[in-house]
């Protein structure tokens, strides 16, 4: 097999997470043709996964002295430094990766092909069942465990786990971490990759379901007495870690489908501290690790994550998320000219490549031809059709009754339609102009299409003016005659009454 073919096959194994097969092939190329760069970089990345990244530090340093514009090699060197707790050196290597990528003389200096990975969230129903059973068992064992971070955010925002979430997040008393790990082991949880070199949080995978769970410890800072959490490494000065600050943790007993569990007594205040006052408004580009509202200073570890994640999202073409991370970095480093240059490049790239996104809104109860006509009209106004589904609670508040079909069923039907690209649960009524505008903006849409029956209404006049500030246009779709959800309900009731009369 030719060397190029061997490298391509090794890359396929790597992307499929078949790491041992990838390592064997990369090692074969490296031994017979050490001048090839790709095998060296991937072997170093595989060594990081194995916990042996230190073995590649000197070789990568030598490589970069010969080829100083290879941003992939700088990033991999940063991973090796970080694993070995050389955080100042790691942050510098990640920064150099950004610089080399930004100022590289030619795109030809990039040696690694772009990797595109389709993200698939876990089964929310199974994940919630596992969440409740795990919390209930931990409570029975005397461990103060509770839903936190993204898991808490989903439960408080919509009553369920976040759409397309990737793991469960629970918090515990830091002093109970060892006991919690013992209990979790008996429940079928196994630690993943030594928790990526961290002592907090600890990462576990459920053996039977494959669901991932992060266990976040919350402790008390000795000097200030404040509650702290974050991402911590051992064998480094504690202030090198990424530290987040919280008000005192107070828990209350709460009933769950699996029994009694612990729950935060004031979840709204907790989420506002972590995500900011607008935590109820979904932001698909928010990066909690870098942009958490309660991260007071950028320590060495925070810088490592900031630079590394900016590099990663930029390399994957996730321009909007990269811009969000970059905005946080620039707030902490206002005078950095390189970050300013990256911002200009990413902003320009967004203007050139961003597809037109259109938002359609409604309850979509008892889905009918009028709904389909509306969605088809909306899709014709852009490239991507995003649908906002009004939750059951909105119907109860505005009409005094909930839709016939549950919000989960309505979202499931819409998600199955080929014309629909994304489905989200609406977080604020359109009558709440500012909150609605913030939610719409978070979806990164260019246009909102609503039914013509709303044209000229007080709420949409106000919302249209507000959306103009964010350069979002409002269009009105023609209504399909002789059909509506109300007509269908009336017909069903009439038919039932006539049947009972007979």
């Amino acid at each position: 097999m030719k060397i190029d073919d061997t490298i391509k096959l090794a890359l396929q194994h790597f992307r499929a997470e078949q790491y041992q097969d990838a390592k064997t092939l990369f090692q074969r190329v490296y031994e017979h043709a050490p001048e090839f760069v790709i095998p060296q970089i991937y072997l170093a990345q595989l060594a990081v996964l194995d916990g042996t990244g230190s073995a590649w530090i000197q070789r990568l340093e030598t490589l970069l002295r010969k080829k100083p514009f290879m941003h992939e090699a700088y990033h991999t060197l940063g991973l090796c430094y970080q694993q070995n707790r050389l955080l100042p050196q790691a942050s510098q290597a990640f920064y150099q990766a950004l610089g080399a990528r930004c100022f590289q003389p030619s795109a030809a200096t990039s040696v690694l092909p772009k990797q595109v990975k389709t993200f698939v969230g876990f089964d929310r129903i199974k994940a919630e069942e596992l969440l409740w059973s795990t919390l209930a068992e931990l409570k029975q064992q005397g461990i103060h465990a509770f839903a936190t971070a993204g898991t808490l955010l989903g439960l408080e925002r919509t009553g369920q786990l976040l759409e397309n979430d990737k793991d469960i997040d629970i918090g515990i008393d830091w002093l109970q971490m060892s006991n919690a790990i013992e209990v979790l082991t008996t429940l079928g949880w196994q630690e993943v990759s030594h928790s990526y070199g961290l002592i907090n949080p600890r990462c576990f995978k459920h053996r039977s379901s494959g669901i991932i769970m992060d266990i976040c410890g919350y402790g008390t800072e000795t000097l200030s007495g404040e509650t702290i959490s974050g991402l911590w490494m051992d064998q480094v000065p504690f202030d090198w870690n990424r530290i987040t600050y919280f008000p005192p943790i107070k828990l209350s007993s709460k009933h769950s489908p699996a029994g009694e569990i612990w729950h935060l007594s004031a979840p709204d205040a907790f989420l506002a501290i972590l995500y900011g006052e607008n935590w109820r408004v979904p932001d698909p580009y928010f990066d909690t690790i870098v942009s958490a509202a309660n991260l007071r200073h950028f320590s060495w570890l925070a810088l490592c994550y900031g630079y590394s994640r900016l590099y990663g999202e930029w390399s994957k073409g996730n321009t909007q998320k990269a811009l969000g991370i970059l905005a946080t970095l620039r707030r902490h480093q206002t005078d950095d000219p390189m970050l300013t240059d990256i911002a200009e490049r990413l902003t320009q790239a967004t203007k050139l490549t961003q597809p037109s996104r259109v938002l359609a809104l409604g309850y979509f109860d008892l889905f009918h031809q009028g709904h389909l006509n509306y969605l088809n009209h909306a899709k014709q106004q852009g490239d991507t059709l995003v649908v906002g589904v009004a939750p059951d609670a909105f119907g109860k508040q505005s009409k005094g009754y909930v839709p016939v079909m549950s919000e989960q069923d309505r979202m499931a039907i819409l998600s199955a339609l080929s014309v629909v690209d994304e489905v989200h649960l609406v977080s604020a009524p359109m009558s709440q102009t500012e909150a609605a505008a913030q939610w719409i903006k978070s979806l990164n849409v260019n246009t909102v299409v609503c039914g013509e029956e709303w044209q000229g209404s007080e709420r949409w006049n106000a919302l249209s003016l507000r959306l103009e500030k964010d350069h979002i246009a409002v269009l009105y779709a023609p209504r399909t005659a002789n059909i509506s959800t109300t007509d269908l309900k009336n017909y069903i009731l009439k038919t039932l009454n006539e049947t009972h009369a007979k």
Side-chain angles (χ1 to χ4, degrees):
M1 184 182 296
K2 295 181 180 179
I3 290 179
D4 287 346
D5 293 333
T6 303
I7 292 175
K8 289 179 181 178
L9 181 59
L11 288 171
Q12 292 175 9
H13 285 309
F14 185 90
R15 291 169 190 151
E17 298 183 358
Q18 298 166 348
Y19 295 131
Q20 187 55 52
D21 292 334
K23 183 177 181 179
T24 299
L25 293 174
F26 281 133
Q27 188 67 41
R28 184 184 305 167
V29 175
Y30 180 58
E31 290 173 355
H32 291 88
E35 69 275 11
F36 278 77
V37 174
I38 292 178
Q40 297 181 57
I41 294 176
Y42 273 96
L43 284 170
Q45 291 184 21
L46 289 165
V48 171
L49 292 176
D50 290 338
T52 58
S54 60
W56 277 89
I57 289 177
Q58 187 173 352
R59 279 178 278 189
L60 287 172
E61 290 174 339
T62 300
L63 173 65
L64 283 165
R65 281 194 289 270
K66 297 177 180 177
K67 300 179 181 291
F69 298 109
M70 296 188 59
H71 52 82
E72 301 93 342
Y74 278 119
H75 186 259
T76 305
L77 177 59
L79 295 174
C80 294
Y81 281 143
Q82 182 174 329
Q83 184 175 74
N84 287 274
R85 296 166 176 77
L86 302 171
L87 301 188
Q89 294 93 320
S91 67
Q92 180 63 23
F94 291 136
Y95 186 84
Q96 288 175 295
L98 290 169
R101 196 184 194 289
C102 190
F103 302 115
Q104 57 188 10
S106 167
T109 59
S110 178
V111 298
L112 301 186
K114 183 178 179 180
Q115 299 181 36
V116 179
K117 185 175 182 180
T118 302
F119 173 74
V120 179
F122 53 34
D123 184 321
R124 287 195 293 185
I125 294 177
K126 289 183 179 178
E128 285 185 20
E129 291 175 351
L130 195 55
L131 169 68
W132 303 134
S133 62
T134 301
L135 289 176
E137 182 62 30
L138 287 170
K139 188 175 189 297
Q140 289 184 8
Q141 297 297 323
I143 294 173
H144 292 83
F146 54 93
T148 188
T151 295
L152 180 67
L153 180 65
L155 294 174
E156 293 300 316
R157 182 188 282 166
T158 65
Q160 59 188 10
L161 298 182
L162 292 172
E163 185 180 3
N164 290 330
D165 207 346
K166 65 182 185 302
D167 59 19
I168 300 171
D169 301 301
I170 69 172
I172 64 166
D173 183 337
W174 169 253
L175 298 178
Q176 294 185 307
M177 180 67 81
S178 297
N179 293 340
I181 291 174
E182 291 181 8
V183 174
L184 291 173
T185 301
T186 66
L187 298 177
W189 293 94
Q190 184 174 11
E191 192 163 13
V192 176
S193 299
H194 307 288
S195 293
Y196 308 103
L198 299 171
I199 58 172
N200 192 45
R202 303 291 284 272
C203 183
F204 289 81
K205 183 176 184 178
H206 196 252
R207 291 190 183 92
S208 60
S209 68
I211 290 172
I212 301 295
M213 179 169 65
D214 285 338
I215 314 298
C216 310
Y218 291 81
T220 302
E221 190 174 56
T222 304
L223 295 178
S224 68
E226 292 182 280
T227 298
I228 57 172
S229 188
L231 278 63
W232 305 343
M233 303 181 79
D234 60 356
Q235 303 177 39
V236 300
F238 189 72
D239 61 1
W240 283 19
N241 286 305
R242 175 193 170 278
I243 305 170
T244 47
Y245 292 80
F246 296 85
I249 301 293
K250 296 182 180 180
L251 303 176
S252 303
S253 183
K254 179 181 178 179
H255 184 72
S256 80
E260 293 297 310
I261 63 171
W262 289 115
H263 187 70
L264 284 168
S265 300
D268 288 17
F270 181 95
L271 291 170
I273 289 291
L274 179 56
Y275 295 105
E277 293 298 329
N278 291 326
W279 63 270
R280 291 190 180 276
V281 179
D283 182 353
Y285 306 114
F286 186 82
D287 188 301
T288 307
I289 290 180
V290 179
S291 304
N294 56 347
L295 184 63
R296 293 182 180 172
H297 70 284
F298 256 50
S299 61
W300 286 119
L301 186 56
L303 278 173
C304 287
Y305 281 112
Y307 293 146
S308 178
R309 292 170 82 86
L310 171 57
Y311 175 87
E313 299 300 339
W314 187 8
S315 298
K316 289 183 288 188
N318 297 335
T319 308
Q320 290 292 343
K321 190 157 188 178
L323 281 169
I325 295 170
L326 184 58
T328 300
L329 287 169
R330 294 182 71 195
R331 283 197 298 271
H332 288 271
Q333 297 169 293
T334 55
D335 299 326
D336 191 315
M338 187 183 76
L339 295 182
T340 300
D341 190 81
I342 293 174
E344 292 174 355
R345 290 168 182 254
L346 288 175
T347 301
Q348 185 63 29
T350 300
K351 294 178 180 178
L352 294 174
T353 63
Q354 187 176 15
S356 176
R357 290 166 58 84
V358 180
L359 172 65
L361 298 159
Y363 282 96
F364 302 99
D365 195 22
L366 299 178
F367 193 85
H368 53 70
Q369 185 63 44
H371 292 139
L372 188 58
N373 291 343
Y374 167 50
L375 294 175
N376 281 327
H377 178 86
K379 181 60 180 273
Q380 293 171 7
Q381 312 308 312
D383 303 307
T384 301
L385 178 58
V386 182
V387 178
V389 178
D392 296 344
F394 286 10
K396 184 69 173 177
Q397 293 168 3
S398 63
K399 302 179 180 181
Y401 56 87
V402 298
V404 174
M405 302 171 66
S406 71
E407 59 194 43
Q408 289 86 358
D409 289 341
R410 291 181 282 127
M411 293 178 72
I413 290 173
L414 289 161
S415 298
L417 298 176
S418 60
V419 71
V420 175
D421 298 295
E422 297 177 21
V423 179
H424 300 273
L425 205 61
V426 179
S427 70
M430 299 302 106
S431 57
Q432 297 177 11
T433 304
E434 184 58 34
Q438 288 290 338
W439 175 74
I440 291 171
K441 181 182 178 182
S442 75
L443 298 175
N444 194 35
V445 297
N446 313 98
T447 306
V448 179
V449 177
C450 61
E452 66 177 1
E453 66 270 21
W454 290 104
Q455 190 168 6
S457 65
E458 182 178 351
R459 71 177 61 177
W460 274 98
N461 284 343
L463 187 55
S464 297
L465 287 173
R466 171 61 184 82
L467 290 173
E468 283 183 8
K469 298 179 180 178
D470 295 320
H471 307 289
I472 299 173
V474 176
L475 304 178
Y476 296 92
R479 184 171 185 172
T480 302
N482 303 320
I483 187 169
S484 71
T485 299
T486 301
D487 292 341
L488 286 174
K489 290 179 180 177
N490 290 336
Y491 176 78
I492 293 170
L493 288 173
K494 179 183 177 182
T495 303
L496 288 173
N497 289 334
E498 290 175 351
T499 302
H500 288 310
K502 295 178 181 178

